Amino acid sequence: MAALQTAAALGFTRIDLQSARAQEAPAADNAPAMVVGSGYGGAVAALRLGQAGIRTLVLEMGRLWNTPGKDGKVFCSTAAPDERSMWFRTRTEAPLATFLWLDVVNKDITRYPGPLDRVRFDHMSVYVGRGVGGGSLVNGGMAVTPPRAYFTEQFPTVDADEMYGTYFPRARSMLGVNTIDPSWFESTPWYRFTRISRKHAANAGLRTTFVPSVYDFEHMRREAAGTAPKSALAGEVIYGNNHGKRSLDKTYLAAALGTGNVTVHTLERATAVSRAPDGTYVVTAERIDPSGAVVERKEYACTHLFLAGGSLGTTELLLRARESGALPDLDASVGAGWGPNGNVMLGRANHLWDTVGEDQSTMPVMGIDDWANTANPVFAEIAPLPTGLEHWVSLYLAITRNRERASFSCADGSLKLGWSASQSSVSAGMAKKLFDRINAANATIYRYDLFGSGNRVFADDFTYHPLGGCVLGKATDGYGRVKGYRRMYVTDGSLVPGSIGVNPFVTITALAERTMARVLVEDTAP
Ligand code: FAE
């Protein structure tokens, strides 16, 4: 409680965002504004608060990835994972588990706060990034703006003109989005795998489209030319990129720290949120050491609280607060409206003459766009499988329009997700319809050896794109203000109602920009 008393003594209990600018430097454990999580939603909030002159504390449960290990590199590669790969595991848990049914992909590792986590629920695993930058550390960098018609369907109350005119462009510019030079794409061996998949899609009458990226394609060209250190061309992606990628620590978060008003506490996990009688939010946190041991329990007080722990992290904090009675007025819809963005991974086996190449960039640059097919809308990213050997596999991550939704609960203390295998099979069914067409047109078959021992073709039991849990306009108002509680906000992927039809981080970033623009102007009344 000492922290709270300090906050009250410093007058932090009833300040607003305007008056927060005028506060004197307080004790370390307090800040006018706090942000939980440093992924897309958290990074936007931190930057915009910092620019507004508001002292802001960011709590991030993962570490800061800026120190080289013994090999001189910050991150390890996908092919040679070590303790820097996964979040407190003794063996890696890569999405593509086997090759020719052999357990050759995953490796034993030492427990350590690595940047990739796989959170397992019944029938659904959720991959998330952990560390300063959240998912931006481990993701494929695909920076896709959703089709306007689908965005409008998912967010009927959001002004699409404003989103497409202001916030999407702002997000893309801040994230450093760029596009591959088409002539380089056509000639480089590093994207032969993509060109083969494009040809097979075209043979089935399907359209492909280039997708932008936050990976610096000029750097990639220098990698190919041998004049820059290799990262995307050296198999680096899901455990982090040592070069080339404009992850949030190099964009939004660097700018946030540059304001001089933002502090990031790493290896600190918020475990509970409550509210003091004077309206101050109290965030309870645990600080861990690199072995995972809790070395300190802390309590922070703040006036404005921005929740950005991602779909899982934010939903869990709010659900716990509602169930424990700490924040009883939270909306009944907190925990609901979750979906995996219809994700399904699958592989196809090509003919011997359709080689995909031993050189493969880890950054996807093209998708098969059949979203406009109202009978079976699918957008399938053409994914790399960089093994350094020719394997004739075409890999895909399909985003299907699966309308199934699930709810979280944490009645017995642990977070549970009510997602069923039959809900996943909706996504698999849609992916199958599309890829059956491609196989028929090319006389090819699926690969049965990539996802474990059971001859599985469609990996529909994991997602890279967890969305929902605190849906915009349901658990929050139309701008991410949490219903039932003033000065508490959600700015991350939990606002998106389970599906957005494309890879989601541009949408999450743009929505967070929209929230911050509104909140910093309007939420000034005491
Ligand atoms: P997120 O980025 O997950 O950040 C949440 C942060 O909060 C994390 O750093 C957590 O460690 C931290 N955190 C959580 N709970 C707590 C707590 N209680 N206390 C303190 N810290 C906490 O959230 N999306 C694309 O658009 N394009 C892609 O190419 C793409 N590829 C992907 C590939 C992989 C392997 C993965 C895992 C994801 C991929 N995604 C991609 C998804 C994308 O990274 C994801 O939608 C965003 O990162 C979600 O952003 P949020 O701000 O919601």
Side-chain angles (χ1 to χ4, degrees):
M1 295 306 287
L4 263 184
Q5 282 151 10
T6 316
L10 287 164
F12 282 160
T13 49
R14 269 187 293 278
I15 58 168
D16 55 53
L17 281 175
Q18 292 295 341
S19 62
R21 296 176 179 124
Q23 293 299 318
E24 285 177 11
D29 287 352
N30 299 280
M34 277 183 74
V35 179
V36 175
S38 65
Y40 293 90
V44 174
L47 172 63
R48 300 308 176 197
L49 288 161
Q51 284 177 330
I54 298 163
R55 210 165 37 73
T56 302
L57 175 62
V58 181
L59 292 193
E60 169 52 54
M61 65 194 274
R63 55 161 281 199
L64 174 65
W65 289 89
N66 66 347
T67 319
K70 280 186 224 128
D71 58 1
K73 294 183 176 172
V74 173
F75 297 105
C76 64
S77 81
T78 310
D82 58 26
E83 77 276 6
R84 293 168 293 180
S85 57
M86 291 204 69
W87 181 254
F88 295 116
R89 290 294 194 290
T90 53
R91 192 165 171 77
T92 57
E93 297 180 19
L96 195 139
T98 49
F99 195 79
L100 297 172
W101 294 278
L102 298 171
D103 183 14
V104 289
V105 178
N106 287 308
K107 304 273 185 325
D108 289 339
I109 51 171
T110 310
R111 278 172 59 83
Y112 187 75
L116 183 67
D117 198 0
R118 178 176 187 157
V119 183
R120 289 178 181 271
F121 299 103
D122 291 345
H123 312 296
M124 180 54 69
S125 285
V126 180
Y127 281 99
V128 289
R130 304 266 182 235
V132 176
S136 77
L137 297 171
V138 297
N139 69 32
M142 292 176 74
V144 195
T145 304
R148 184 170 166 142
Y150 193 54
F151 178 86
T152 307
E153 210 176 312
Q154 293 301 83
F155 293 103
T157 61
V158 175
D159 181 344
D161 282 343
E162 209 180 40
M163 284 299 290
Y164 284 79
T166 303
Y167 298 116
F168 279 122
R170 184 175 297 174
R172 287 193 296 261
S173 150
M174 284 297 302
L175 291 166
V177 174
N178 67 158
T179 47
I180 193 165
D181 174 353
S183 63
W184 188 67
F185 167 81
E186 297 300 344
S187 59
T188 178
W190 297 97
Y191 281 107
R192 180 175 169 80
F193 74 97
T194 307
R195 297 193 298 270
I196 290 290
S197 282
R198 177 181 61 180
K199 179 178 87 174
H200 291 172
N203 289 344
L206 289 159
R207 191 177 94 86
T208 49
T209 180
F210 280 114
V211 291
S213 175
V214 293
Y215 198 91
D216 178 353
F217 286 114
E218 282 310 312
H219 181 89
M220 194 187 288
R221 288 180 75 153
R222 291 198 297 275
E223 291 180 50
T227 55
K230 283 192 170 61
S231 182
L233 306 192
E236 294 178 353
V237 59
I238 59 171
Y239 304 134
N241 281 93
N242 285 297
H243 310 280
K245 199 208 268 181
R246 294 164 178 154
S247 46
L248 291 167
D249 48 328
K250 303 188 174 62
T251 58
Y252 273 100
L253 291 167
L257 293 179
T259 66
N261 293 315
V262 176
T263 309
V264 183
H265 284 191
T266 58
L267 295 172
E268 288 197 16
R269 188 169 79 93
T271 53
V273 178
S274 61
R275 204 159 72 136
D278 61 12
T280 308
Y281 289 104
V282 182
V283 178
T284 310
E286 290 178 345
R287 187 163 67 81
I288 58 167
D289 69 13
S291 78
V294 175
V295 289
E296 191 180 356
R297 289 201 163 72
K298 294 179 150 185
E299 215 170 60
Y300 295 96
C302 66
T303 314
H304 293 80
L305 179 58
F306 294 82
L307 297 175
S311 168
L312 303 187
T314 292
T315 306
E316 179 168 10
L317 275 174
L318 287 179
L319 257 188
R320 282 187 194 287
R322 194 184 64 200
E323 317 276 282
S324 69
L327 299 178
D329 296 334
L330 288 170
D331 195 76
S333 71
V334 167
W338 187 87
N341 208 21
N343 278 188
V344 186
M345 191 173 268
L346 67 130
R348 292 175 46 250
N350 291 315
H351 296 292
L352 282 181
W353 57 85
D354 271 339
T355 52
V356 290
E358 55 196 36
D359 292 337
Q360 298 199 9
S361 166
T362 56
M363 294 294 139
V365 292
M366 190 167 274
I368 300 168
D369 187 359
D370 202 29
W371 196 258
N373 173 359
T374 48
N376 195 57
V378 180
F379 177 80
E381 144 194 345
I382 299 172
L385 181 50
T387 61
L389 298 169
E390 175 59 50
H391 50 55
W392 291 276
V393 178
S394 283
L395 193 71
Y396 305 89
L397 180 73
I399 296 171
T400 64
R401 188 170 172 176
N402 184 338
R403 295 170 198 265
E404 296 290 321
R405 298 290 175 267
S407 292
F408 290 97
S409 62
C410 62
D412 68 355
S414 65
L415 189 70
K416 296 209 166 42
L417 176 63
W419 182 264
S420 68
S422 64
Q423 289 180 296
S424 282
S425 65
V426 174
S427 307
M430 296 180 77
K432 182 173 186 314
K433 272 193 196 154
L434 179 82
F435 286 97
D436 279 359
R437 272 174 73 187
I438 296 180
N439 277 339
N442 294 284
T444 49
I445 58 167
Y446 292 108
R447 290 286 295 228
Y448 295 84
D449 58 315
L450 304 176
F451 304 108
S453 55
N455 284 346
R456 277 199 317 138
V457 169
F458 301 103
D460 58 3
D461 59 347
F462 72 78
T463 182
Y464 287 168
H465 302 162
L467 297 173
C470 302
V471 171
L472 190 84
K474 294 199 166 129
T476 72
D477 78 352
Y479 286 88
R481 300 176 177 105
V482 175
K483 280 187 187 165
Y485 292 90
R486 293 183 59 222
R487 304 188 303 267
M488 179 157 62
Y489 313 87
V490 172
T491 61
D492 59 20
S494 57
L495 294 172
V496 182
S499 161
I500 194 61
V502 293
N503 315 62
F505 74 60
V506 171
T507 303
I508 294 168
T509 307
L511 284 172
E513 288 282 18
R514 173 178 174 271
T515 289
M516 295 313 295
R518 174 62 60 124
V519 161
L520 283 164
V521 169
E522 280 188 355
D523 290 15
T524 55

